[in-house]
Amino acid sequence: ELPELTEDDPMAIGLGYKKDTATVDAATQPKHTADQRCDGCALYTSKSATAGACAIFPGKQVSASGWCSAYAKKS
Ligand code: SF4
């Protein structure tokens, strides 16, 4: 099982990753909206109900309820 991506990972910091989309700071991430979550992102592959793989963060799992600035809505 892949290790969990932590918010203090240097790449996570660079992309403003948060484990909970509700904690994203609107001032620093003006494009973020509350309905955006990793499990609704085109780069996400679900691995369980709560976590999945992300193409941006190879070798790590991101939170289903997470978010980062590379978010792209799943079509
Ligand atoms: Fe989550 Fe998408 Fe960012 Fe990956 S690219 S961390 S799935 S919002």
Side-chain angles (χ1 to χ4, degrees), residues 17 19 37-57 60-68 70-74:
Y17 173 77
K19 290 198 305 192
R37 298 165 42 108
C38 289
D39 60 5
C41 176
L43 301 170
Y44 183 80
T45 305
S46 179
K47 297 289 186 192
S48 72
T50 56
C54 168
I56 298 279
F57 299 104
K60 301 280 170 65
Q61 286 202 70
V62 298
S63 170
S65 60
W67 185 89
C68 88
Y71 174 86
K73 189 175 169 59
K74 202 181 283 180

PDB file of all heavy atoms in Angstrom, residues 17 19 37-57 60-68 70-74:
ATOM      1  N   TYR A  17      -1.440  21.346  -1.334  1.00  0.00           N
ATOM      2  CA  TYR A  17      -2.263  20.176  -0.992  1.00  0.00           C
ATOM      3  C   TYR A  17      -2.752  20.221   0.447  1.00  0.00           C
ATOM      4  O   TYR A  17      -1.986  20.499   1.379  1.00  0.00           O
ATOM      5  CB  TYR A  17      -1.463  18.881  -1.208  1.00  0.00           C
ATOM      6  CG  TYR A  17      -2.169  17.641  -0.721  1.00  0.00           C
ATOM      7  CD1 TYR A  17      -3.199  17.080  -1.450  1.00  0.00           C
ATOM      8  CD2 TYR A  17      -1.819  17.049   0.491  1.00  0.00           C
ATOM      9  CE1 TYR A  17      -3.867  15.941  -0.996  1.00  0.00           C
ATOM     10  CE2 TYR A  17      -2.472  15.904   0.951  1.00  0.00           C
ATOM     11  CZ  TYR A  17      -3.498  15.370   0.203  1.00  0.00           C
ATOM     12  OH  TYR A  17      -4.149  14.249   0.665  1.00  0.00           O
ATOM     13  N   LYS A  19      -5.308  17.745   3.110  1.00  0.00           N
ATOM     14  CA  LYS A  19      -6.006  16.457   3.234  1.00  0.00           C
ATOM     15  C   LYS A  19      -7.517  16.640   3.269  1.00  0.00           C
ATOM     16  O   LYS A  19      -8.271  15.730   2.965  1.00  0.00           O
ATOM     17  CB  LYS A  19      -5.541  15.715   4.503  1.00  0.00           C
ATOM     18  CG  LYS A  19      -4.108  15.226   4.379  1.00  0.00           C
ATOM     19  CD  LYS A  19      -3.723  14.160   5.367  1.00  0.00           C
ATOM     20  CE  LYS A  19      -3.936  14.500   6.811  1.00  0.00           C
ATOM     21  NZ  LYS A  19      -3.269  13.535   7.711  1.00  0.00           N
ATOM     22  N   ARG A  37     -12.806  18.164  -4.793  1.00  0.00           N
ATOM     23  CA  ARG A  37     -12.160  17.156  -3.946  1.00  0.00           C
ATOM     24  C   ARG A  37     -11.348  16.227  -4.838  1.00  0.00           C
ATOM     25  O   ARG A  37     -11.677  16.038  -6.003  1.00  0.00           O
ATOM     26  CB  ARG A  37     -13.201  16.281  -3.221  1.00  0.00           C
ATOM     27  CG  ARG A  37     -14.132  16.965  -2.262  1.00  0.00           C
ATOM     28  CD  ARG A  37     -15.332  16.056  -1.905  1.00  0.00           C
ATOM     29  NE  ARG A  37     -15.019  14.657  -1.668  1.00  0.00           N
ATOM     30  CZ  ARG A  37     -15.042  14.072  -0.468  1.00  0.00           C
ATOM     31  NH1 ARG A  37     -15.390  14.757   0.603  1.00  0.00           N
ATOM     32  NH2 ARG A  37     -14.740  12.796  -0.350  1.00  0.00           N
ATOM     33  N   CYS A  38     -10.356  15.590  -4.252  1.00  0.00           N
ATOM     34  CA  CYS A  38      -9.545  14.643  -5.023  1.00  0.00           C
ATOM     35  C   CYS A  38     -10.411  13.580  -5.700  1.00  0.00           C
ATOM     36  O   CYS A  38     -10.149  13.215  -6.849  1.00  0.00           O
ATOM     37  CB  CYS A  38      -8.508  13.989  -4.124  1.00  0.00           C
ATOM     38  SG  CYS A  38      -7.173  15.110  -3.601  1.00  0.00           S
ATOM     39  N   ASP A  39     -11.427  13.086  -5.013  1.00  0.00           N
ATOM     40  CA  ASP A  39     -12.225  12.005  -5.619  1.00  0.00           C
ATOM     41  C   ASP A  39     -13.140  12.502  -6.748  1.00  0.00           C
ATOM     42  O   ASP A  39     -13.813  11.697  -7.386  1.00  0.00           O
ATOM     43  CB  ASP A  39     -12.980  11.177  -4.571  1.00  0.00           C
ATOM     44  CG  ASP A  39     -13.949  11.968  -3.737  1.00  0.00           C
ATOM     45  OD1 ASP A  39     -14.150  13.164  -3.993  1.00  0.00           O
ATOM     46  OD2 ASP A  39     -14.508  11.376  -2.789  1.00  0.00           O
ATOM     47  N   GLY A  40     -13.107  13.805  -7.028  1.00  0.00           N
ATOM     48  CA  GLY A  40     -13.796  14.336  -8.191  1.00  0.00           C
ATOM     49  C   GLY A  40     -12.817  14.898  -9.214  1.00  0.00           C
ATOM     50  O   GLY A  40     -13.219  15.603 -10.130  1.00  0.00           O
ATOM     51  N   CYS A  41     -11.549  14.567  -9.050  1.00  0.00           N
ATOM     52  CA  CYS A  41     -10.477  15.101  -9.899  1.00  0.00           C
ATOM     53  C   CYS A  41     -10.077  14.072 -10.950  1.00  0.00           C
ATOM     54  O   CYS A  41      -9.992  12.870 -10.670  1.00  0.00           O
ATOM     55  CB  CYS A  41      -9.282  15.456  -9.019  1.00  0.00           C
ATOM     56  SG  CYS A  41      -7.827  16.037  -9.931  1.00  0.00           S
ATOM     57  N   ALA A  42      -9.796  14.544 -12.151  1.00  0.00           N
ATOM     58  CA  ALA A  42      -9.443  13.661 -13.265  1.00  0.00           C
ATOM     59  C   ALA A  42      -8.127  12.915 -13.028  1.00  0.00           C
ATOM     60  O   ALA A  42      -7.876  11.892 -13.665  1.00  0.00           O
ATOM     61  CB  ALA A  42      -9.352  14.482 -14.548  1.00  0.00           C
ATOM     62  N   LEU A  43      -7.295  13.411 -12.132  1.00  0.00           N
ATOM     63  CA  LEU A  43      -5.983  12.807 -11.891  1.00  0.00           C
ATOM     64  C   LEU A  43      -6.016  11.749 -10.792  1.00  0.00           C
ATOM     65  O   LEU A  43      -4.989  11.164 -10.449  1.00  0.00           O
ATOM     66  CB  LEU A  43      -4.978  13.910 -11.530  1.00  0.00           C
ATOM     67  CG  LEU A  43      -4.829  14.981 -12.620  1.00  0.00           C
ATOM     68  CD1 LEU A  43      -4.024  16.156 -12.124  1.00  0.00           C
ATOM     69  CD2 LEU A  43      -4.193  14.387 -13.855  1.00  0.00           C
ATOM     70  N   TYR A  44      -7.194  11.492 -10.256  1.00  0.00           N
ATOM     71  CA  TYR A  44      -7.364  10.598  -9.100  1.00  0.00           C
ATOM     72  C   TYR A  44      -7.784   9.200  -9.532  1.00  0.00           C
ATOM     73  O   TYR A  44      -8.644   9.044 -10.395  1.00  0.00           O
ATOM     74  CB  TYR A  44      -8.440  11.194  -8.196  1.00  0.00           C
ATOM     75  CG  TYR A  44      -8.717  10.465  -6.907  1.00  0.00           C
ATOM     76  CD1 TYR A  44      -7.893  10.621  -5.807  1.00  0.00           C
ATOM     77  CD2 TYR A  44      -9.850   9.650  -6.779  1.00  0.00           C
ATOM     78  CE1 TYR A  44      -8.166   9.987  -4.606  1.00  0.00           C
ATOM     79  CE2 TYR A  44     -10.134   9.009  -5.582  1.00  0.00           C
ATOM     80  CZ  TYR A  44      -9.281   9.183  -4.500  1.00  0.00           C
ATOM     81  OH  TYR A  44      -9.566   8.556  -3.314  1.00  0.00           O
ATOM     82  N   THR A  45      -7.186   8.182  -8.925  1.00  0.00           N
ATOM     83  CA  THR A  45      -7.596   6.787  -9.099  1.00  0.00           C
ATOM     84  C   THR A  45      -7.906   6.227  -7.731  1.00  0.00           C
ATOM     85  O   THR A  45      -7.005   6.080  -6.898  1.00  0.00           O
ATOM     86  CB  THR A  45      -6.478   5.953  -9.749  1.00  0.00           C
ATOM     87  OG1 THR A  45      -6.081   6.571 -10.974  1.00  0.00           O
ATOM     88  CG2 THR A  45      -6.961   4.544 -10.035  1.00  0.00           C
ATOM     89  N   SER A  46      -9.157   5.932  -7.477  1.00  0.00           N
ATOM     90  CA  SER A  46      -9.562   5.469  -6.157  1.00  0.00           C
ATOM     91  C   SER A  46      -8.903   4.149  -5.785  1.00  0.00           C
ATOM     92  O   SER A  46      -8.826   3.229  -6.590  1.00  0.00           O
ATOM     93  CB  SER A  46     -11.081   5.307  -6.118  1.00  0.00           C
ATOM     94  OG  SER A  46     -11.484   4.841  -4.846  1.00  0.00           O
ATOM     95  N   LYS A  47      -8.398   4.067  -4.541  1.00  0.00           N
ATOM     96  CA  LYS A  47      -7.820   2.830  -4.013  1.00  0.00           C
ATOM     97  C   LYS A  47      -8.661   2.288  -2.861  1.00  0.00           C
ATOM     98  O   LYS A  47      -8.553   1.129  -2.498  1.00  0.00           O
ATOM     99  CB  LYS A  47      -6.396   3.075  -3.515  1.00  0.00           C
ATOM    100  CG  LYS A  47      -5.411   3.502  -4.612  1.00  0.00           C
ATOM    101  CD  LYS A  47      -5.082   2.360  -5.568  1.00  0.00           C
ATOM    102  CE  LYS A  47      -3.998   2.761  -6.552  1.00  0.00           C
ATOM    103  NZ  LYS A  47      -3.862   1.791  -7.645  1.00  0.00           N
ATOM    104  N   SER A  48      -9.456   3.144  -2.272  1.00  0.00           N
ATOM    105  CA  SER A  48     -10.338   2.748  -1.172  1.00  0.00           C
ATOM    106  C   SER A  48     -11.381   3.857  -1.040  1.00  0.00           C
ATOM    107  O   SER A  48     -11.363   4.817  -1.811  1.00  0.00           O
ATOM    108  CB  SER A  48      -9.552   2.618   0.140  1.00  0.00           C
ATOM    109  OG  SER A  48      -9.181   3.898   0.630  1.00  0.00           O
ATOM    110  N   ALA A  49     -12.258   3.741  -0.069  1.00  0.00           N
ATOM    111  CA  ALA A  49     -13.285   4.766   0.119  1.00  0.00           C
ATOM    112  C   ALA A  49     -12.676   6.096   0.534  1.00  0.00           C
ATOM    113  O   ALA A  49     -13.254   7.157   0.281  1.00  0.00           O
ATOM    114  CB  ALA A  49     -14.284   4.304   1.169  1.00  0.00           C
ATOM    115  N   THR A  50     -11.497   6.048   1.135  1.00  0.00           N
ATOM    116  CA  THR A  50     -10.951   7.264   1.722  1.00  0.00           C
ATOM    117  C   THR A  50      -9.679   7.779   1.065  1.00  0.00           C
ATOM    118  O   THR A  50      -9.236   8.882   1.387  1.00  0.00           O
ATOM    119  CB  THR A  50     -10.643   7.049   3.223  1.00  0.00           C
ATOM    120  OG1 THR A  50      -9.756   5.939   3.343  1.00  0.00           O
ATOM    121  CG2 THR A  50     -11.911   6.783   4.008  1.00  0.00           C
ATOM    122  N   ALA A  51      -9.072   7.005   0.170  1.00  0.00           N
ATOM    123  CA  ALA A  51      -7.805   7.432  -0.413  1.00  0.00           C
ATOM    124  C   ALA A  51      -7.620   6.862  -1.811  1.00  0.00           C
ATOM    125  O   ALA A  51      -8.279   5.899  -2.207  1.00  0.00           O
ATOM    126  CB  ALA A  51      -6.633   7.005   0.464  1.00  0.00           C
ATOM    127  N   GLY A  52      -6.699   7.491  -2.551  1.00  0.00           N
ATOM    128  CA  GLY A  52      -6.429   7.015  -3.896  1.00  0.00           C
ATOM    129  C   GLY A  52      -5.087   7.496  -4.386  1.00  0.00           C
ATOM    130  O   GLY A  52      -4.410   8.277  -3.728  1.00  0.00           O
ATOM    131  N   ALA A  53      -4.711   7.010  -5.587  1.00  0.00           N
ATOM    132  CA  ALA A  53      -3.469   7.455  -6.202  1.00  0.00           C
ATOM    133  C   ALA A  53      -3.743   8.735  -6.984  1.00  0.00           C
ATOM    134  O   ALA A  53      -4.853   8.969  -7.444  1.00  0.00           O
ATOM    135  CB  ALA A  53      -2.945   6.369  -7.136  1.00  0.00           C
ATOM    136  N   CYS A  54      -2.706   9.564  -7.128  1.00  0.00           N
ATOM    137  CA  CYS A  54      -2.805  10.798  -7.889  1.00  0.00           C
ATOM    138  C   CYS A  54      -1.630  10.870  -8.854  1.00  0.00           C
ATOM    139  O   CYS A  54      -0.489  10.624  -8.459  1.00  0.00           O
ATOM    140  CB  CYS A  54      -2.785  12.008  -6.951  1.00  0.00           C
ATOM    141  SG  CYS A  54      -2.559  13.553  -7.842  1.00  0.00           S
ATOM    142  N   ALA A  55      -1.916  11.204 -10.111  1.00  0.00           N
ATOM    143  CA  ALA A  55      -0.877  11.256 -11.132  1.00  0.00           C
ATOM    144  C   ALA A  55       0.190  12.306 -10.828  1.00  0.00           C
ATOM    145  O   ALA A  55       1.320  12.197 -11.287  1.00  0.00           O
ATOM    146  CB  ALA A  55      -1.511  11.542 -12.491  1.00  0.00           C
ATOM    147  N   ILE A  56      -0.155  13.306 -10.050  1.00  0.00           N
ATOM    148  CA  ILE A  56       0.783  14.390  -9.713  1.00  0.00           C
ATOM    149  C   ILE A  56       1.760  13.953  -8.617  1.00  0.00           C
ATOM    150  O   ILE A  56       2.865  14.476  -8.521  1.00  0.00           O
ATOM    151  CB  ILE A  56      -0.012  15.621  -9.219  1.00  0.00           C
ATOM    152  CG1 ILE A  56      -0.938  16.155 -10.310  1.00  0.00           C
ATOM    153  CG2 ILE A  56       0.923  16.727  -8.714  1.00  0.00           C
ATOM    154  CD1 ILE A  56      -0.283  17.034 -11.338  1.00  0.00           C
ATOM    155  N   PHE A  57       1.318  13.033  -7.768  1.00  0.00           N
ATOM    156  CA  PHE A  57       2.129  12.610  -6.622  1.00  0.00           C
ATOM    157  C   PHE A  57       2.405  11.114  -6.692  1.00  0.00           C
ATOM    158  O   PHE A  57       1.827  10.329  -5.930  1.00  0.00           O
ATOM    159  CB  PHE A  57       1.418  12.961  -5.299  1.00  0.00           C
ATOM    160  CG  PHE A  57       1.170  14.423  -5.096  1.00  0.00           C
ATOM    161  CD1 PHE A  57      -0.106  14.954  -5.270  1.00  0.00           C
ATOM    162  CD2 PHE A  57       2.197  15.280  -4.722  1.00  0.00           C
ATOM    163  CE1 PHE A  57      -0.351  16.317  -5.077  1.00  0.00           C
ATOM    164  CE2 PHE A  57       1.969  16.640  -4.523  1.00  0.00           C
ATOM    165  CZ  PHE A  57       0.703  17.157  -4.706  1.00  0.00           C
ATOM    166  N   LYS A  60       2.529   7.952  -3.770  1.00  0.00           N
ATOM    167  CA  LYS A  60       1.830   8.377  -2.552  1.00  0.00           C
ATOM    168  C   LYS A  60       0.326   8.206  -2.754  1.00  0.00           C
ATOM    169  O   LYS A  60      -0.147   8.110  -3.883  1.00  0.00           O
ATOM    170  CB  LYS A  60       2.129   9.852  -2.237  1.00  0.00           C
ATOM    171  CG  LYS A  60       3.591  10.173  -2.023  1.00  0.00           C
ATOM    172  CD  LYS A  60       4.028   9.785  -0.629  1.00  0.00           C
ATOM    173  CE  LYS A  60       5.542   9.850  -0.444  1.00  0.00           C
ATOM    174  NZ  LYS A  60       6.078  11.187  -0.549  1.00  0.00           N
ATOM    175  N   GLN A  61      -0.400   8.168  -1.649  1.00  0.00           N
ATOM    176  CA  GLN A  61      -1.860   8.198  -1.720  1.00  0.00           C
ATOM    177  C   GLN A  61      -2.352   9.538  -1.209  1.00  0.00           C
ATOM    178  O   GLN A  61      -1.837  10.065  -0.220  1.00  0.00           O
ATOM    179  CB  GLN A  61      -2.480   7.094  -0.857  1.00  0.00           C
ATOM    180  CG  GLN A  61      -2.324   5.708  -1.462  1.00  0.00           C
ATOM    181  CD  GLN A  61      -3.370   4.743  -0.917  1.00  0.00           C
ATOM    182  OE1 GLN A  61      -4.546   4.851  -1.210  1.00  0.00           O
ATOM    183  NE2 GLN A  61      -2.913   3.794  -0.128  1.00  0.00           N
ATOM    184  N   VAL A  62      -3.355  10.085  -1.887  1.00  0.00           N
ATOM    185  CA  VAL A  62      -3.967  11.329  -1.432  1.00  0.00           C
ATOM    186  C   VAL A  62      -5.335  11.012  -0.828  1.00  0.00           C
ATOM    187  O   VAL A  62      -5.921   9.971  -1.097  1.00  0.00           O
ATOM    188  CB  VAL A  62      -4.086  12.357  -2.581  1.00  0.00           C
ATOM    189  CG1 VAL A  62      -2.707  12.727  -3.111  1.00  0.00           C
ATOM    190  CG2 VAL A  62      -4.963  11.837  -3.718  1.00  0.00           C
ATOM    191  N   SER A  63      -5.827  11.926  -0.044  1.00  0.00           N
ATOM    192  CA  SER A  63      -7.104  11.757   0.630  1.00  0.00           C
ATOM    193  C   SER A  63      -8.255  11.984  -0.347  1.00  0.00           C
ATOM    194  O   SER A  63      -8.222  12.915  -1.150  1.00  0.00           O
ATOM    195  CB  SER A  63      -7.192  12.758   1.783  1.00  0.00           C
ATOM    196  OG  SER A  63      -8.491  12.794   2.312  1.00  0.00           O
ATOM    197  N   ALA A  64      -9.288  11.147  -0.277  1.00  0.00           N
ATOM    198  CA  ALA A  64     -10.461  11.321  -1.147  1.00  0.00           C
ATOM    199  C   ALA A  64     -11.062  12.714  -0.984  1.00  0.00           C
ATOM    200  O   ALA A  64     -11.560  13.302  -1.938  1.00  0.00           O
ATOM    201  CB  ALA A  64     -11.507  10.252  -0.828  1.00  0.00           C
ATOM    202  N   SER A  65     -10.977  13.246   0.226  1.00  0.00           N
ATOM    203  CA  SER A  65     -11.545  14.568   0.516  1.00  0.00           C
ATOM    204  C   SER A  65     -10.511  15.681   0.394  1.00  0.00           C
ATOM    205  O   SER A  65     -10.757  16.809   0.805  1.00  0.00           O
ATOM    206  CB  SER A  65     -12.148  14.571   1.922  1.00  0.00           C
ATOM    207  OG  SER A  65     -11.145  14.278   2.880  1.00  0.00           O
ATOM    208  N   GLY A  66      -9.339  15.362  -0.181  1.00  0.00           N
ATOM    209  CA  GLY A  66      -8.273  16.348  -0.288  1.00  0.00           C
ATOM    210  C   GLY A  66      -8.420  17.279  -1.479  1.00  0.00           C
ATOM    211  O   GLY A  66      -9.409  17.237  -2.230  1.00  0.00           O
ATOM    212  N   TRP A  67      -7.396  18.110  -1.647  1.00  0.00           N
ATOM    213  CA  TRP A  67      -7.384  19.070  -2.765  1.00  0.00           C
ATOM    214  C   TRP A  67      -5.969  19.593  -2.960  1.00  0.00           C
ATOM    215  O   TRP A  67      -5.205  19.695  -1.997  1.00  0.00           O
ATOM    216  CB  TRP A  67      -8.305  20.257  -2.450  1.00  0.00           C
ATOM    217  CG  TRP A  67      -8.450  21.251  -3.594  1.00  0.00           C
ATOM    218  CD1 TRP A  67      -9.375  21.208  -4.596  1.00  0.00           C
ATOM    219  CD2 TRP A  67      -7.660  22.428  -3.848  1.00  0.00           C
ATOM    220  NE1 TRP A  67      -9.195  22.286  -5.460  1.00  0.00           N
ATOM    221  CE2 TRP A  67      -8.145  23.044  -5.015  1.00  0.00           C
ATOM    222  CE3 TRP A  67      -6.575  23.009  -3.194  1.00  0.00           C
ATOM    223  CZ2 TRP A  67      -7.589  24.211  -5.548  1.00  0.00           C
ATOM    224  CZ3 TRP A  67      -6.017  24.165  -3.723  1.00  0.00           C
ATOM    225  CH2 TRP A  67      -6.528  24.765  -4.895  1.00  0.00           C
ATOM    226  N   CYS A  68      -5.642  19.923  -4.221  1.00  0.00           N
ATOM    227  CA  CYS A  68      -4.432  20.699  -4.494  1.00  0.00           C
ATOM    228  C   CYS A  68      -4.698  21.592  -5.697  1.00  0.00           C
ATOM    229  O   CYS A  68      -5.722  21.453  -6.375  1.00  0.00           O
ATOM    230  CB  CYS A  68      -3.214  19.802  -4.727  1.00  0.00           C
ATOM    231  SG  CYS A  68      -2.989  19.272  -6.441  1.00  0.00           S
ATOM    232  N   ALA A  70      -3.581  21.668  -8.588  1.00  0.00           N
ATOM    233  CA  ALA A  70      -3.613  21.034  -9.907  1.00  0.00           C
ATOM    234  C   ALA A  70      -4.971  20.384 -10.174  1.00  0.00           C
ATOM    235  O   ALA A  70      -5.145  19.697 -11.188  1.00  0.00           O
ATOM    236  CB  ALA A  70      -2.507  19.995 -10.028  1.00  0.00           C
ATOM    237  N   TYR A  71      -5.925  20.602  -9.296  1.00  0.00           N
ATOM    238  CA  TYR A  71      -7.257  20.011  -9.447  1.00  0.00           C
ATOM    239  C   TYR A  71      -7.806  20.243 -10.852  1.00  0.00           C
ATOM    240  O   TYR A  71      -7.765  21.358 -11.377  1.00  0.00           O
ATOM    241  CB  TYR A  71      -8.225  20.626  -8.427  1.00  0.00           C
ATOM    242  CG  TYR A  71      -9.659  20.168  -8.609  1.00  0.00           C
ATOM    243  CD1 TYR A  71     -10.110  18.995  -8.031  1.00  0.00           C
ATOM    244  CD2 TYR A  71     -10.554  20.916  -9.383  1.00  0.00           C
ATOM    245  CE1 TYR A  71     -11.419  18.568  -8.219  1.00  0.00           C
ATOM    246  CE2 TYR A  71     -11.861  20.489  -9.569  1.00  0.00           C
ATOM    247  CZ  TYR A  71     -12.289  19.320  -8.976  1.00  0.00           C
ATOM    248  OH  TYR A  71     -13.585  18.906  -9.167  1.00  0.00           O
ATOM    249  N   ALA A  72      -8.329  19.174 -11.453  1.00  0.00           N
ATOM    250  CA  ALA A  72      -8.983  19.257 -12.759  1.00  0.00           C
ATOM    251  C   ALA A  72     -10.255  18.425 -12.690  1.00  0.00           C
ATOM    252  O   ALA A  72     -10.198  17.212 -12.449  1.00  0.00           O
ATOM    253  CB  ALA A  72      -8.065  18.717 -13.848  1.00  0.00           C
ATOM    254  N   LYS A  73     -11.373  19.053 -12.861  1.00  0.00           N
ATOM    255  CA  LYS A  73     -12.659  18.371 -12.703  1.00  0.00           C
ATOM    256  C   LYS A  73     -12.768  17.164 -13.628  1.00  0.00           C
ATOM    257  O   LYS A  73     -12.471  17.246 -14.813  1.00  0.00           O
ATOM    258  CB  LYS A  73     -13.796  19.359 -12.996  1.00  0.00           C
ATOM    259  CG  LYS A  73     -15.182  18.827 -12.666  1.00  0.00           C
ATOM    260  CD  LYS A  73     -16.209  19.943 -12.876  1.00  0.00           C
ATOM    261  CE  LYS A  73     -17.631  19.425 -12.819  1.00  0.00           C
ATOM    262  NZ  LYS A  73     -17.974  18.784 -11.555  1.00  0.00           N
ATOM    263  N   LYS A  74     -13.181  16.048 -13.043  1.00  0.00           N
ATOM    264  CA  LYS A  74     -13.401  14.820 -13.807  1.00  0.00           C
ATOM    265  C   LYS A  74     -14.565  15.046 -14.769  1.00  0.00           C
ATOM    266  O   LYS A  74     -15.603  15.557 -14.368  1.00  0.00           O
ATOM    267  CB  LYS A  74     -13.741  13.685 -12.822  1.00  0.00           C
ATOM    268  CG  LYS A  74     -13.481  12.298 -13.350  1.00  0.00           C
ATOM    269  CD  LYS A  74     -13.869  11.247 -12.320  1.00  0.00           C
ATOM    270  CE  LYS A  74     -12.831  11.099 -11.201  1.00  0.00           C
ATOM    271  NZ  LYS A  74     -13.207  10.080 -10.211  1.00  0.00           N
TER     272      LYS A  74
END
